[in-house]
Amino acid sequence: MTATTFVSTEWLAANLGTPGLVVVDGSWHMPATGRDGRAEYEAAHIPGAVFFDLDGISAHDTDLPHMLPGAEAFAVAVGALGISEKSRIVVYDAAGLFSAPRVWWTFKAFGATDVAILDGGLPKWTAEGRPTEQGTVTPAAQTFSAQLDASIVADISRIEQVLTDGAAQVLDARAAERFAGAAPEPRPGLPSGHMPGAFNLPVGKVVRDGRLVSPDEIRSAVAASGLDLSQPVITSCGSGVTAAILWVALETIGTRPQALYDGSWTEWASRGKPIAVDPK
């Protein structure tokens, strides 16, 4: 794992309370799980951690879930959490490695200069007997100077273009059965299948027990997907969350993606775009 992307539980335990360090609980769960990230945060979080609400800190002028908000709205929301673009930010989640990469990518997209993911997340932290606290943390507000790097955010027109001209490869993190069109999508009424020409690397191939697998295993999984690492890659998934895990995985083996498709399959399939399915 790259030192710049992950920090260890040992490092975080030794540095808790350091001026300028902000710990962020970025836990989010699929609606069908019935789990509430904020409620779980209030019940138990790493001491001093603030809660990043992935659905709350998002665009509210769309029917698509947790799309990136505007820079001003993001700045206000995270400034209220006591975070500036120069803070040392460590993000974790309750699954180990699920939604934290999306929060990590979001901070980076808006100009944070020092943001990392806690290796193993809350499960590893608690398994090691490290302390947690209850309630809500209310830090002193900071000013976050946000500027979106639009180059790393793909919209639907960009996806249509690259699928047509081959300027980049689209890599989908969804389960193989959903990608093939053989299993339903978790969102009611949304067809399964994939964008014509997209590649599939199920996120379960690069995450094991809440942690990223080894670089060699990532390379093997990428090779099995058919992706060409010498060509640009745009990551995608169901709604833009696990696409960020693929981003982290690719960056870990030295291949930084070109962009992440924010709307992902939810946008593509709900907008009547072409859908391919694998033969049964």
Side-chain angles (χ1 to χ4, degrees):
M1 296 174 188
T2 56
T4 53
T5 303
F6 289 92
V7 296
S8 68
T9 49
E10 292 79 10
W11 182 92
L12 183 58
N15 286 276
L16 274 183
T18 301
L21 174 67
V22 182
V23 183
V24 177
D25 185 324
S27 299
W28 177 86
H29 305 284
M30 289 291 292
T33 66
R35 296 178 63 178
D36 184 325
R38 185 184 291 276
E40 292 182 15
Y41 159 81
E42 292 175 356
H45 58 260
I46 293 175
V50 295
F51 183 72
F52 186 102
D53 184 343
L54 197 60
D55 288 320
I57 305 176
S58 66
H60 298 298
D61 58 352
T62 174
D63 61 337
L64 299 170
H66 40 254
M67 295 282 283
L68 287 178
E72 183 177 349
F74 179 82
V76 170
V78 299
L81 295 177
I83 305 171
S84 83
E85 77 280 3
K86 297 177 181 176
S87 298
R88 185 161 204 184
I89 305 163
V90 176
V91 186
Y92 73 87
D93 66 48
L97 192 69
F98 181 60
S99 55
R102 168 69 188 204
V103 178
W104 168 88
W105 175 82
T106 299
F107 272 110
K108 291 174 75 70
F110 282 110
T113 56
D114 189 350
V115 55
I117 298 166
L118 180 64
D119 179 28
L122 189 62
K124 187 171 188 291
W125 180 270
T126 55
E128 293 167 349
R130 303 190 189 278
T132 59
E133 64 181 12
Q134 295 180 321
T136 300
V137 175
T138 308
Q142 297 288 328
T143 298
F144 191 107
S145 180
Q147 186 169 358
L148 178 64
D149 179 2
S151 71
I152 68 168
V153 187
D155 61 14
I156 195 167
S157 61
R158 183 168 167 188
I159 296 299
E160 286 183 294
Q161 186 64 39
V162 302
L163 290 173
T164 299
D165 64 19
Q169 305 160 100
V170 176
L171 185 63
D172 192 323
R174 290 176 302 141
E177 295 79 11
R178 289 166 59 192
F179 183 87
E185 287 295 305
R187 290 176 174 81
L190 197 68
S192 59
H194 58 272
M195 304 164 210
F199 295 85
N200 184 215
L201 178 51
V203 74
K205 300 285 188 182
V206 298
V207 176
R208 183 183 305 119
D209 299 326
R211 303 176 75 183
L212 208 60
V213 299
S214 71
D216 283 346
E217 287 178 276
I218 294 171
R219 291 188 189 97
S220 294
V222 169
S225 77
L227 194 77
D228 182 353
L229 287 178
S230 71
Q231 300 300 315
V233 181
I234 297 175
T235 62
S236 182
C237 61
S239 65
V241 175
T242 59
I245 300 176
L246 292 188
W247 184 296
V248 170
L250 291 173
E251 197 165 277
T252 296
I253 60 171
T255 305
R256 182 179 182 269
Q258 183 185 87
L260 182 152
Y261 179 18
D262 197 17
S264 281
W265 184 250
T266 299
E267 180 176 39
W268 185 270
S270 68
R271 300 303 190 252
K273 298 301 179 182
I275 295 175
V277 297
D278 293 346
K280 296 180 179 180

